[in-house]
Amino acid sequence: MDFTLFATSKCNLKCRYCYEGNKKSNRDMTKETADKTVEFIADRIKESGSSGLINITFHGGEPLLNFELIKYISSCILKEIHNEVIFNMTTNGTIMTDEMVDYIKNHINNISVSIDGTRKAHDLNRTFYDGTGSYEKAVFNAERLLAKGINVRGRMTFDSQNVGELYEGVESLVDMGFRYIVSVADLYDERWNEENIEILKKQILKVSNIKKKNPHQEISLTAADLFSRKKGDCFGGVANYTIDSDGSIYPCTFSAGNKDFVIGNVNDGNLLKERICKLIEIYQKENKCCAGCTRYEYCEGVRCKILNKLITGDYTTPPGIVCAVENIRVDIMKKLLNVS
């Protein structure tokens, strides 16, 4: 089971492509809501009868803005839950005290730092509220984590305006010492067109050469195992839950803050079963516009119905850039495998 916890909705950056928008609620999760969150997690595990692995991911906002609560929740979970627990965190990397670095090394199993590759690509979108770029601080702190022997995942977002920096960006993260790099397109960007999609194709092909030179490097865009892995149905609201800073429960991080997708609240402990049943029906709907596609069972556009709804307004219609990236990956995999 997976639980994503928004320790805070506050963020010190104003990223242009933030799917939460820049009018955040500016709210920390309270200790009382944290206690109810731990209780909710324990109840769901007991109810499911699961003895398997539990993933807890600290998210936000910028989660380290509420660092003391993260420590508190982690401690409570380890006391209350007897399953094996993996703690994860996603951070923009711009605020990192020595105490935070040591805590991450000793208590966080997996950490993702958002760095969009080159300074130019990063600072185009990831700025502080005064408009200055955040690249320098993010890289400085990421290198501090790497120097401690922490296996940091580099999380890159690219859009139609900085896609030409993709190859150099991946290369720079490899040079910094990132072992695992996840590069994803800004799906909300409405400026994608044939010209910059062609640029994207050339950039991903160049990225594949990095993998050839560094066989142990994990790069999501060119990972053959990810390419050949069937996605399956979404389990948001069934085995996966996202809990916002006010205790509202959502099926996934993308839907957090959108009241149309609230499925309960930890403060009263109730789940809205009718809404969850409706979601399950939606997850199983066929994407008629994707019928016949050879990537149907492997594509996020088929699996992520909620994201489709948020971007295109329809649960079964994926964003065009999702299809474009899938087609590019097919072409590149054929070249890598010498398949005509």
Side-chain angles (χ1 to χ4, degrees):
M1 300 185 77
D2 295 344
F3 299 88
T4 298
L5 314 182
F6 281 54
T8 182
S9 63
K10 297 176 182 177
C11 189
N12 60 326
L13 296 187
K14 191 178 182 180
C15 301
R16 287 192 178 91
Y17 45 56
C18 181
Y19 61 84
E20 295 177 56
N22 288 312
K23 293 182 180 179
K24 300 179 179 65
S25 59
N26 208 37
R27 175 183 55 226
D28 285 334
M29 180 181 283
T30 65
K31 189 175 179 181
E32 291 73 24
T33 299
D35 288 336
K36 290 292 186 179
T37 296
V38 174
E39 183 179 325
F40 173 81
I41 293 171
D43 287 345
R44 295 289 76 72
I45 294 170
K46 183 178 179 180
E47 184 181 273
S48 70
S50 173
S51 59
L53 183 69
I54 305 299
N55 275 292
I56 305 292
T57 300
F58 293 109
H59 210 286
E62 169 48 47
L64 288 174
L65 288 172
N66 203 1
F67 177 54
E68 292 302 318
L69 192 80
I70 287 173
K71 292 192 295 181
Y72 176 75
I73 291 176
S74 300
S75 175
C76 291
I77 285 174
L78 292 176
K79 289 177 183 176
E80 295 294 327
I81 295 170
H82 304 296
N83 301 56
E84 181 183 357
V85 179
I86 297 293
F87 289 106
N88 312 286
M89 183 184 294
T90 298
T91 173
N92 63 36
T94 60
I95 51 171
M96 199 79 68
T97 64
D98 289 343
E99 181 188 2
M100 290 174 183
V101 171
D102 289 339
Y103 184 84
I104 290 166
K105 178 177 177 59
N106 295 317
H107 299 281
I108 302 298
N109 302 88
N110 302 296
I111 183 164
S112 295
V113 177
S114 298
I115 302 178
D116 294 345
T118 64
R119 180 189 293 271
K120 178 181 176 181
H122 183 99
D123 285 349
L124 181 66
N125 291 309
R126 293 187 179 275
T127 64
F128 292 102
Y129 275 78
D130 65 1
T132 58
S134 61
Y135 177 83
E136 191 170 330
K137 285 190 175 182
V139 168
F140 175 75
N141 286 319
E143 289 180 335
R144 290 172 68 197
L145 295 171
L146 290 165
K148 287 277 190 177
I150 300 169
N151 187 19
V152 187
R153 182 174 76 162
R155 177 62 161 73
M156 295 175 62
T157 301
F158 58 88
D159 64 13
S160 61
Q161 305 306 296
N162 65 12
V163 65
E165 299 281 315
L166 181 60
Y167 166 75
E168 287 186 28
V170 173
E171 187 176 49
S172 70
L173 294 190
V174 171
D175 291 342
M176 283 181 213
F178 285 90
R179 175 78 187 283
Y180 190 58
I181 300 168
V182 175
S183 304
V184 296
D186 173 14
L187 303 181
Y188 289 85
D189 185 0
E190 297 179 351
R191 298 167 296 181
W192 287 106
N193 56 38
E194 290 185 8
E195 182 180 351
N196 46 49
I197 286 173
E198 185 60 29
I199 293 172
L200 174 59
K201 183 175 182 178
K202 292 176 181 178
Q203 290 289 308
I204 296 178
L205 187 58
K206 290 177 70 175
V207 168
S208 68
N209 293 324
I210 297 176
K211 178 67 175 178
K212 289 179 182 178
K213 296 176 184 177
N214 304 273
H216 298 296
Q217 187 74 44
E218 298 291 338
I219 304 171
S220 64
L221 282 174
T222 58
D225 60 331
L226 295 177
F227 179 76
S228 60
R229 185 183 303 166
K230 292 183 179 182
K231 298 296 184 182
D233 292 331
C234 176
F235 290 99
V238 181
N240 306 331
Y241 302 90
T242 291
I243 301 167
D244 206 352
S245 53
D246 66 349
S248 296
I249 306 166
Y250 297 89
C252 63
T253 56
F254 294 117
S255 60
N258 188 320
K259 298 305 179 184
D260 291 339
F261 292 98
V262 171
I263 58 172
N265 193 295
V266 299
N267 290 303
D268 59 29
N270 293 324
L271 284 171
L272 304 176
K273 298 294 178 67
E274 289 186 5
R275 283 198 175 187
I276 295 171
C277 288
K278 181 64 176 178
L279 282 174
I280 293 171
E281 290 178 10
I282 290 169
Y283 298 154
Q284 296 174 335
K285 283 187 175 182
E286 179 185 356
N287 283 17
K288 292 183 179 180
C289 64
C290 304
C293 178
T294 58
R295 296 296 297 164
Y296 192 91
E297 294 181 292
Y298 304 87
C299 182
E300 286 292 342
V302 175
R303 184 176 189 271
C304 291
K305 297 291 197 293
I306 290 176
L307 189 57
N308 291 347
K309 175 67 172 177
L310 291 169
I311 297 175
T312 71
D314 182 73
Y315 287 108
T316 59
T317 302
I321 186 60
V322 170
C323 300
V325 171
E326 276 303 313
N327 287 326
I328 290 170
R329 293 179 73 201
V330 168
D331 290 344
I332 288 173
M333 285 299 166
K334 285 180 178 179
K335 289 181 180 179
L336 292 176
L337 299 171
N338 295 314
V339 176
S340 59

